[in-house]
């Protein structure tokens, strides 16, 4: 898909900017010392606003397509990645490549490609192609940061779309919990978990990321209504604001408990703690939320017994028998593969393609696991952890580069004081829990969850880029 879109865009650029007349050259095609023709400059000037509008529309549609329309979200992401390169060549410039997080992303990407080459990794052409296309995720985030969301109005519209998507998830969760089915008629999943707007339980993970910035937007609105400036977080809030924030935190946690998925619930609680760490007005309400969590889980035993079974009974069993559980066996298999290939790993998607190899079907002396490591029956598409995935794909250097990429992104997102402080804290927390190392996770670059993560990263980077600007408060109009 990425290759097709790239070819189409190159052809469009050729049609728009090239001509058979030797005396007319576009700005980007003029040789050194040769002057571009006025006609070409006019043509380029007309094209740039069209590209800007196309990029902005693709950006606004990303959350919608990530919610419903995986194929279209892939197209939108690829379009943003390619158009960023085109737009950089047509006047935007390449200044964004000098950012620390972008440089680390290119290093990580380059090492992924090296480890996926024939005679180094598994040698699969599919793995090498996927490794080459992996850069589209960071490029999409960079496009939002420096291009499509560089003005206040575009960032305001993006926040509105994200709030609307979050409200849509909430509506589907609540409807399914109360009526037994969502808007499309899908009931709870067979294990009792809520599926939100889907037929399968895959809504809680993206919702746990999305709800944090939206919740912080609500907190900022409550602080603003109390008559204080958003940046004034040195004093405690009034009783009414404290109660409203407490209700908000308890409702978010209660909804995650009802959803019945362990990791998203735990990560949401962690994310609220991170938000409270940076946002003082939220701290008392976060304590109330933490104290209410055991009560909410116990209530789920009577209100939603299947969710309680999933959250407590099954979780306790897996934790007490971790090394014999599926997660423990997958962890062991990934470590066996990494021990055999510590420098370069096995290339992109290593776990998917090499897990069933008999050479890796054994335990480790420092783990108490089955002698065959669970055999081929434990094999899944990925290692259930982004850091294990980085280790099996690209060895120890790849693991360090991936950790460096996460650190660089969090460093760029770090919510220092400035405009829209609460909103930026929520975006920081969303990416923080996405890359929390001690949790089961989906594939790092999958859709839709990987798309949600990098899209929120792009929005957060755009906000951080303009944190010093003086802009009107957007919260009352959302």
């Amino acid at each position: 898909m990425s290759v097709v879109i790239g070819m189409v865009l190159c052809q469009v650029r050729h049609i728009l900017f090239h001509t058979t007349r030797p005396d007319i050259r576009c700005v980007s095609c003029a040789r050194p010392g040769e002057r571009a023709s006025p006609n070409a400059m006019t043509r380029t000037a007309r094209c740039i606003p069209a590209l800007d509008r196309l990029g902005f529309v693709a950006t606004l549609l990303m959350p919608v397509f990530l919610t419903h329309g995986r194929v279209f979200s892939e197209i939108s992401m690829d379009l943003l990645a390619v158009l960023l390169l085109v737009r950089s060549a047509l006047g935007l410039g390449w200044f964004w490549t000098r950012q620390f997080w972008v440089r680390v992303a290119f290093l990580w990407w380059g090492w992924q490609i090296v480890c996926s080459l024939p005679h180094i990794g598994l040698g699969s052409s599919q793995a090498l192609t996927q490794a080459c296309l992996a850069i589209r995720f960071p490029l999409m985030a960079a496009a939002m940061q420096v291009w499509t969301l560089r003005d206040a109005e575009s960032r305001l519209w993006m926040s509105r779309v994200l709030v609307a998507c979050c409200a849509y998830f909430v509506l589907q969760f609540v409807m399914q919990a109360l009526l037994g089915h969502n808007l499309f008629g899908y009931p709870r999943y067979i294990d009792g978990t809520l599926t939100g707007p889907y037929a399968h339980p895959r809504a809680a993970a993206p919702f746990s990321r999305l709800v944090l910035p939206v919740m912080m937007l609500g907190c900022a609105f409550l602080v603003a209504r109390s008559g204080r400036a958003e940046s004034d977080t040195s004093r405690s809030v009034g009783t009414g604001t404290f109660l409203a924030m407490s209700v908000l935190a308890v409702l978010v946690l209660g909804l995650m408990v009802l959803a019945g998925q362990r990791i998203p619930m735990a990560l949401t609680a962690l994310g609220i703690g991170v938000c409270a760490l940076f946002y003082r007005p939220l701290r008392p309400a976060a304590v109330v939320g933490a104290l209410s969590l055991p009560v909410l889980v116990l209530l789920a035993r009577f209100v939603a017994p299947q969710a309680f079974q999933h959250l407590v009974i099954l979780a306790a069993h897996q934790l007490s028998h971790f090394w014999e559980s599926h997660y423990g066996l997958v962890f062991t298999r990934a470590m066996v593969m990494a021990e055999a290939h510590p420098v370069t790993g096995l290339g992109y998607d290593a776990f998917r393609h090499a897990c069933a190899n008999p050479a890796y079907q054994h335990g480790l002396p420092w783990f108490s696991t089955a002698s065959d490591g669970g055999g081929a029956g434990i094999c899944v598409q990925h290692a259930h952890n982004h850091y294990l995935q980085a280790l099996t794909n690209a060895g120890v250097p790849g693991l360090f580069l991936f950790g460096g990429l996460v650190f660089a992104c969090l460093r760029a997102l770090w919510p220092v004081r400035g405009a829209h402080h609460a909103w930026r804290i929520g975006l920081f927390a969303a990416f923080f829990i996405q890359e929390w190392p001690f949790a089961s996770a989906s594939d790092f670059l999958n859709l839709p969850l990987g798309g949600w993560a990098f899209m929120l990263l792009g929005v957060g980077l755009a906000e951080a880029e303009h944190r010093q600007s003086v802009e009107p408060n957007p919260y009352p109009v959302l």
Side-chain angles (χ1 to χ4, degrees):
M1 180 64 70
S2 299
V3 175
V4 173
I5 293 176
M7 292 172 60
V8 172
L9 287 172
C10 287
Q11 184 65 20
V12 170
R13 185 173 184 272
H14 178 79
I15 293 173
L16 288 174
F17 302 121
H18 288 70
T19 178
T20 57
R21 287 181 58 185
D23 60 324
I24 298 179
R25 291 187 180 272
C26 66
V27 176
S28 59
C29 300
R31 297 190 184 97
E34 184 179 8
R35 206 173 163 188
S37 71
N39 289 342
M41 294 179 66
T42 303
R43 203 174 301 161
T44 302
R46 286 199 303 265
C47 180
I48 287 176
L51 290 177
D52 291 345
R53 286 192 294 271
L54 180 60
F56 180 57
V57 169
T59 299
L60 286 186
L61 289 177
M62 271 299 295
V64 179
F65 289 149
L66 286 170
T67 303
H68 288 297
R70 178 174 177 175
V71 173
F72 296 109
S73 66
E74 175 76 39
I75 294 173
S76 296
M77 179 175 63
D78 296 349
L79 193 63
L80 283 170
V82 173
L83 288 182
L84 172 65
L85 303 180
V86 174
R87 188 65 178 82
S88 297
L90 295 180
L92 181 66
W94 302 94
F95 63 94
W96 53 273
T97 61
R98 296 192 293 270
Q99 297 179 96
F100 177 61
W101 80 268
V102 175
R103 290 180 175 180
V104 177
F106 278 123
L107 286 174
W108 165 80
W109 176 55
W111 185 247
Q112 289 280 321
I113 294 176
V114 169
C115 295
S116 302
L117 291 171
H119 309 298
I120 296 179
L122 293 172
S124 165
S125 59
Q126 179 185 0
L128 180 59
T129 302
Q130 288 181 315
C132 292
L133 296 178
I135 194 61
R136 68 193 193 279
F137 283 83
L139 285 180
M140 176 191 67
M144 293 182 180
Q145 177 192 14
V146 302
W147 178 36
T148 62
L149 298 179
R150 58 182 171 178
D151 62 88
E153 185 178 2
S154 63
R155 295 194 299 277
L156 177 57
W157 273 106
M158 189 63 175
S159 65
R160 287 170 173 165
V161 174
L162 292 175
V163 170
C165 289
C166 186
Y168 174 74
F169 274 103
V170 171
L171 173 65
Q172 294 275 30
F173 277 130
V174 172
M175 184 175 179
Q176 197 173 51
L178 296 179
L179 303 180
H181 59 83
N182 62 18
L183 286 172
F184 306 112
Y186 294 120
R188 285 175 176 263
Y189 199 59
I190 54 176
D191 60 0
T193 55
L194 297 178
T195 63
Y198 310 117
H200 301 280
R202 58 185 182 90
F207 179 73
S208 65
R209 280 67 164 172
L210 180 59
V211 75
L212 293 174
V214 175
M215 185 193 73
M216 292 306 297
L217 207 58
C219 292
F221 175 71
L222 292 171
V223 170
R225 283 193 61 183
S226 67
R228 292 172 51 187
E230 182 201 2
S231 57
D232 182 15
T233 59
S234 59
R235 296 178 288 111
S236 300
V237 295
T239 303
T241 305
F242 158 69
L243 291 175
M245 285 188 182
S246 299
V247 170
L248 184 60
V250 171
L251 287 176
V252 169
L253 291 172
L255 195 57
M256 295 307 299
V257 169
L258 282 177
Q261 292 187 258
R262 303 179 299 275
I263 299 301
M265 184 200 70
L267 290 178
T268 301
L270 174 64
I272 292 175
V274 172
C275 291
L277 183 67
F278 286 97
Y279 198 65
R280 183 173 178 178
L282 181 62
R283 292 175 190 173
V287 172
V288 173
L291 294 176
S292 71
L293 189 56
V295 178
L296 293 171
V297 173
L298 289 175
L299 286 175
R301 183 174 185 178
F302 306 100
V303 177
Q306 289 178 304
F308 179 83
Q309 174 77 16
H310 208 256
L311 289 173
V312 179
I313 308 300
L314 183 59
H317 176 76
Q318 287 182 336
L319 288 174
S320 59
H321 303 84
F322 179 76
W323 301 116
E324 289 77 30
S325 71
H326 183 262
Y327 291 105
L329 294 173
V330 167
F331 177 85
T332 303
R333 182 67 54 84
M335 295 304 297
V336 169
M337 294 167 62
E339 188 179 57
H341 305 274
V343 178
T344 60
L346 288 165
Y348 197 91
D349 250 358
F351 199 88
R352 181 200 299 261
H353 300 299
C355 174
N357 190 327
Y360 308 121
Q361 294 182 18
H362 61 83
L364 291 171
W366 33 291
F367 285 148
S368 297
T369 59
S371 58
D372 65 347
I378 69 164
C379 292
V380 287
Q381 295 180 344
H382 51 82
H384 284 308
N385 182 277
H386 292 168
Y387 298 86
L388 283 179
Q389 182 182 350
L391 183 62
T392 55
N393 283 3
V396 175
L399 174 62
F400 277 98
L401 286 172
F402 176 74
L405 174 60
V406 173
F407 168 79
C409 291
L410 290 174
R411 178 174 175 265
L413 288 173
W414 193 263
V416 297
R417 295 288 179 85
H420 307 164
H421 188 220
W423 175 242
R424 289 187 288 108
I425 289 173
L427 293 166
F428 172 88
F431 192 80
F432 182 89
I433 66 171
Q434 169 71 10
E435 302 307 332
W436 179 247
F438 307 109
S440 173
S442 61
D443 189 281
F444 176 56
L445 298 181
N446 81 326
L447 288 175
L449 188 56
W452 280 108
F454 275 91
M455 183 201 62
L456 293 174
L457 170 64
V459 175
L461 291 171
E463 290 286 356
E465 187 82 9
H466 300 87
R467 64 181 180 271
Q468 300 298 338
S469 60
V470 180
E471 299 171 358
N473 191 341
Y475 308 122
V477 298
L478 289 176

